[in-house]
Short mmCIF file of all heavy atoms in Angstrom, two decimals:
data_model
loop_
_atom_site.label_atom_id
_atom_site.label_comp_id
_atom_site.label_asym_id
_atom_site.label_seq_id
_atom_site.Cartn_x
_atom_site.Cartn_y
_atom_site.Cartn_z
N VAL A 268 104.87 23.33 83.97
CA VAL A 268 105.76 22.62 83.04
C VAL A 268 105.61 23.20 81.63
O VAL A 268 106.61 23.42 80.92
CB VAL A 268 105.45 21.11 83.05
CG1 VAL A 268 106.30 20.38 82.01
CG2 VAL A 268 105.69 20.53 84.42
N VAL A 269 104.37 23.48 81.23
CA VAL A 269 104.13 24.05 79.90
C VAL A 269 104.82 25.40 79.74
O VAL A 269 105.35 25.74 78.68
CB VAL A 269 102.61 24.18 79.65
CG1 VAL A 269 102.33 24.96 78.37
CG2 VAL A 269 101.96 22.80 79.58
N LEU A 270 104.84 26.19 80.81
CA LEU A 270 105.43 27.53 80.73
C LEU A 270 106.93 27.49 80.45
O LEU A 270 107.52 28.53 80.15
CB LEU A 270 105.17 28.29 82.04
CG LEU A 270 103.71 28.60 82.37
CD1 LEU A 270 103.61 29.48 83.60
CD2 LEU A 270 103.02 29.28 81.20
N GLY A 271 107.54 26.33 80.56
CA GLY A 271 108.97 26.22 80.24
C GLY A 271 109.28 26.65 78.82
O GLY A 271 110.39 27.11 78.53
N VAL A 272 108.30 26.53 77.92
CA VAL A 272 108.50 26.96 76.53
C VAL A 272 108.81 28.45 76.47
O VAL A 272 109.55 28.92 75.59
CB VAL A 272 107.24 26.64 75.69
CG1 VAL A 272 107.37 27.16 74.28
CG2 VAL A 272 107.00 25.14 75.68
N ALA A 273 108.28 29.23 77.42
CA ALA A 273 108.52 30.68 77.45
C ALA A 273 109.86 31.02 78.08
O ALA A 273 110.21 32.20 78.15
CB ALA A 273 107.39 31.38 78.20
N GLY A 274 110.59 30.00 78.57
CA GLY A 274 111.92 30.24 79.12
C GLY A 274 111.95 30.63 80.57
O GLY A 274 112.93 31.22 81.04
N VAL A 275 110.87 30.29 81.34
CA VAL A 275 110.82 30.72 82.73
C VAL A 275 111.47 29.72 83.69
O VAL A 275 111.44 29.93 84.90
CB VAL A 275 109.36 30.95 83.16
CG1 VAL A 275 108.74 32.06 82.35
CG2 VAL A 275 108.54 29.67 83.03
N GLY A 276 112.09 28.67 83.18
CA GLY A 276 112.79 27.73 84.04
C GLY A 276 111.93 26.54 84.42
O GLY A 276 110.76 26.43 84.07
N GLY A 277 112.55 25.60 85.16
CA GLY A 277 111.83 24.41 85.60
C GLY A 277 111.99 23.25 84.62
O GLY A 277 112.76 23.30 83.66
N LEU A 278 111.24 22.18 84.90
CA LEU A 278 111.36 20.97 84.08
C LEU A 278 110.98 21.21 82.63
O LEU A 278 111.57 20.64 81.71
CB LEU A 278 110.48 19.87 84.68
CG LEU A 278 111.01 19.17 85.93
CD1 LEU A 278 109.96 18.26 86.52
CD2 LEU A 278 112.28 18.39 85.61
N GLY A 279 109.97 22.04 82.40
CA GLY A 279 109.53 22.32 81.03
C GLY A 279 110.63 22.98 80.22
O GLY A 279 110.82 22.65 79.04
N PHE A 280 111.35 23.90 80.84
CA PHE A 280 112.43 24.58 80.13
C PHE A 280 113.57 23.60 79.80
O PHE A 280 114.08 23.57 78.67
CB PHE A 280 112.96 25.73 80.99
CG PHE A 280 114.16 26.43 80.41
CD1 PHE A 280 114.04 27.25 79.31
CD2 PHE A 280 115.41 26.25 80.98
CE1 PHE A 280 115.14 27.88 78.77
CE2 PHE A 280 116.53 26.87 80.45
CZ PHE A 280 116.40 27.70 79.33
N GLU A 281 113.95 22.78 80.80
CA GLU A 281 115.01 21.79 80.56
C GLU A 281 114.60 20.80 79.46
O GLU A 281 115.43 20.40 78.62
CB GLU A 281 115.32 21.03 81.86
CG GLU A 281 115.87 21.90 82.97
CD GLU A 281 117.28 22.39 82.68
OE1 GLU A 281 117.94 21.79 81.81
OE2 GLU A 281 117.71 23.39 83.29
N LEU A 282 113.33 20.41 79.47
CA LEU A 282 112.85 19.46 78.47
C LEU A 282 112.88 20.09 77.07
O LEU A 282 113.27 19.43 76.09
CB LEU A 282 111.42 19.05 78.83
CG LEU A 282 110.84 17.78 78.19
CD1 LEU A 282 111.78 16.61 78.33
CD2 LEU A 282 109.49 17.47 78.82
#
Side-chain angles (χ1 to χ4, degrees):
V268 176
V269 171
L270 295 186
V272 175
V275 297
L278 283 172
F280 175 72
E281 297 290 341
L282 198 50

